[in-house]
Amino acid sequence: MNQLQDNFDWSRNDGVPDLSNAIVILWNGFELRSTALVRHANATGANKVFILKFSDSQFDLSENDKCLEQQLDPRNTFRIDVDRGSQFRTYQTIRSQIAKSDPSLKIIFDITCFPRDVLLLILYVLWSLSRLDQVICVYNVAQDYSTQQSEISEKWLSKGVSSVSPVIGYRGVLRPDRPLQVVGLVGFDDQRVTQIADILSPSSLVFAHGDTHLKEREWLVSQSKDAVSMLLNRFDESRQETFICEDGQSVSAMLDRARAAKPDYNLVVVPMNNKISTLFAATYCLKHRDVQICYGGALIYNHSHYSKESDKFYHWTAFSETA
């Protein structure tokens, strides 16, 4: 691995990056927000566009498909079906496609609507192929979540957990003679965090709420704090932490504190805040290969009212911490 692969972090910038002559990676999910990037940027000049979706998706994607067809050049657009039931097959498929791409091209990775487990897999592929120095991760800021509910305490994004498992590339090193500490990054999916914690049954729990330095995200802080308070009341041997959602160093420092508090424990991270902090949690685990990430896919999504997009974008580029 080169220096960037071993010791890296992310630098934030405003706006939409230039997509010309880039490899663009998109998720086609149940939200029109999935297509926000290509509606706000000219994607016709992209070198390749990879559009991923679940192979067994039961959602009507016709509106998204129509939008993507209008915005993209079909000659350089490639669709990839993701089998959530087989992480390894998904990993192989994504890796083979990216490995065949021109290694000199920048990679625009729109993380906005990616399921967390697929986001993690793609980041691991890019890391393992030594392509991080060419990656720009893009995120569209939501105006609102759970849009049918006006009261923040009533908002929800998903419910239930289908199964819980480590994610390929983030399996860590768990020693059977050590107790387990779980760190959950908490957002609207706190009900799933509860179920994952019940399933893993750790000896120590850390529930971390997300703070922010972005004005347009301040309204989300109280929800995260309230969710953590509820979790602390439910679980014994639990404690509270905090991190800045859009700051990779803050996420890293929070996880460092959790490790330092229980140095003789195995550490499992459950990133269930937003996709930005999921990216940063993954970065931490790529630099600390003994730490595991677990994920539990949802049984139900609030797909009709999940979120409302904005015209605000941020993007992150990787940089070497030792440069």
Side-chain angles (χ1 to χ4, degrees), residues 19 24 26 35 37-39 41-46 48-51 64-79:
L19 306 188
V24 181
L26 306 172
T35 68
L37 176 62
V38 297
R39 286 185 281 110
N42 183 3
T44 57
K48 285 184 180 178
V49 179
F50 294 115
I51 303 172
N64 283 4
D65 287 334
K66 181 179 179 180
C67 176
L68 292 169
E69 288 170 4
Q70 291 173 342
Q71 301 293 333
L72 301 174
D73 185 342
R75 295 170 297 180
N76 61 8
T77 300
F78 305 88
R79 296 180 181 269

Side-chain angles (χ1 to χ4, degrees), residues 173-180 203 264-266:
V173 180
L174 301 189
R175 291 175 49 175
D177 59 329
R178 289 187 170 187
L180 175 63
S203 302
D264 297 324
Y265 282 52
N266 294 317

Side-chain angles (χ1 to χ4, degrees), residues 26-35 51-54 57-65 68 79 112-115 303 306:
L26 306 172
W27 181 258
N28 186 9
F30 51 74
E31 296 186 88
L32 187 59
R33 189 168 163 229
S34 297
T35 68
I51 303 172
L52 286 75
K53 70 173 183 66
F54 284 131
S57 176
Q58 299 178 4
F59 300 110
D60 181 5
L61 305 180
S62 58
E63 188 176 358
N64 283 4
D65 287 334
L68 292 169
R79 296 180 181 269
T112 305
C113 293
F114 264 90
H303 61 90
Y306 196 87

